[in-house]
Amino acid sequence: MSKMNMLQAINNALDTAMAEDERVLCFGEDVGVFGGVFRATSNLQQKYGKARCFNTPLVEQGIIGFANGLAAQGSVPVAEIQFADYIFPAFDQIVNESAKFRYRSGNLFNVGGLTIRAPYGGGIAGGLYHSQSPEAYFAHTPGLKIVVPRNPHQAKGLLLAAIHDPNPTLFFEPKRLYRASVGEVPDEDYRLPLGEAEVTKEGTDVTVLGWGAQMEVIGQAVERAEKDGISCEVIDLRTILPWDVETVANSVFKTGRLVVTHEAPLTGGFAGEIAATIQERCFLYLESPIARVTGMDTPFPLVLEKEHLPNHLKVYEAIRASVEF
């Protein structure tokens, strides 16, 4: 075990995958000798050469189109989009090519070896073009997997699982945790299961659900709530697509209440999908309306970032309101 921050864990996962399989390639804007804008790919070009870790032009559609072609021919590409906000020029390639390649060819061809990494979310005073959380856009697309880690241990284990998964995977990294989240990480290869949520804390009064950086926010909110005598069950969804309906539903069967939080805006956010599904599955067990604590329906602000983000006080108030309904 080594103590790492999230960036070091991601770098270690890429290093592990590239050492084990020469088909694994890393590429994107400035990922080479510079090591990426956040240094997630530091020293990989020096270690594995320019043929396996290299810079691309500043063209996201080209990055993913190139990645699709490599994956279709048997390579295992790990493509970096410098910020998740920049992923939209590649939207067509992801939803119409990556996600549908296997289906439209009758499994004659597939791009299952493709992993797309992207730093996402707020918390770094990045303003409207460096702070967005676009996971819900892609969750509407069958054929993709979407993964979000919450700490260094998960970052390595889930990224290695994504690289080895036989489906194209979007791996969104909460950038505000890159250096803030530190923990013990196994040195060897290990893989955490995709599609399985993790119950990080058991409780009886209310289920609180989130992913990525919001898990730290949830922890602070739950600490306040438990001082009020409220027993909270906490779930880290980890995988947005496919999401673990059974784990969440079983928790709500027990608690009768659900609070979901994410950084993305309220309207069309993935919390709405979760709320609809759990309402269908757990309607007769619900003791209060399912609550959503999210970012605002505005462009991501620079000066008012703290007001925009769903902080621990907003989550705490939602927990209280759900229990006191």
Side-chain angles (χ1 to χ4, degrees), residues 76-257:
V76 184
V78 183
E80 179 181 300
I81 301 296
Q82 195 170 75
F83 285 86
D85 312 61
Y86 301 169
I87 206 167
F88 299 111
F91 195 81
D92 174 63
Q93 283 293 325
I94 295 169
V95 304
N96 278 329
E97 304 299 337
S98 306
K100 298 178 175 65
F101 213 83
R102 179 185 286 123
Y103 178 82
R104 73 173 185 171
S105 72
N107 203 33
L108 288 174
F109 306 99
N110 74 79
V111 295
L114 170 62
T115 302
I116 303 168
R117 295 179 42 249
Y120 96 118
I124 65 162
L128 71 166
Y129 289 127
H130 300 81
S131 306
Q132 296 174 81
S133 300
E135 65 268 27
Y137 290 104
F138 297 99
H140 193 62
T141 306
L144 300 174
K145 289 192 175 182
I146 304 170
V147 182
V148 186
R150 77 170 187 273
N151 59 31
H153 180 268
Q154 283 201 355
K156 180 176 178 180
L158 290 173
L159 180 55
L160 284 168
I163 291 170
H164 291 94
D165 193 88
N167 297 278
T169 303
L170 282 161
F171 194 83
F172 288 121
E173 301 162 5
K175 68 175 83 75
R176 79 169 184 254
L177 299 185
Y178 267 159
R179 292 180 174 85
S181 181
V182 179
E184 295 291 326
V185 178
D187 295 315
E188 68 275 7
D189 185 347
Y190 66 96
R191 302 168 199 177
L192 299 175
L194 304 184
E196 292 185 20
E198 180 184 2
V199 179
T200 64
K201 183 182 180 304
E202 294 191 355
T204 56
D205 294 331
V206 58
T207 301
V208 189
L209 172 67
W211 50 86
Q214 282 305 103
M215 296 309 300
E216 181 183 20
V217 172
I218 288 172
Q220 296 170 359
V222 165
E223 187 177 346
R224 280 178 171 262
E226 299 211 318
K227 289 179 181 177
D228 297 339
I230 301 171
S231 175
C232 300
E233 182 144 300
V234 179
I235 301 178
D236 177 8
L237 200 57
R238 300 200 298 193
T239 305
I240 306 299
L241 192 68
W243 69 282
D244 188 351
V245 178
E246 294 302 321
T247 294
V248 180
N250 288 337
S251 177
V252 176
F253 284 141
K254 176 172 63 173
T255 65
R257 301 175 180 89

Side-chain angles (χ1 to χ4, degrees), residues 247-274:
T247 294
V248 180
N250 288 337
S251 177
V252 176
F253 284 141
K254 176 172 63 173
T255 65
R257 301 175 180 89
L258 176 61
V259 175
V260 187
T261 179
H262 58 61
E263 286 187 29
L266 177 70
T267 303
F270 198 69
E273 175 63 28
I274 294 169

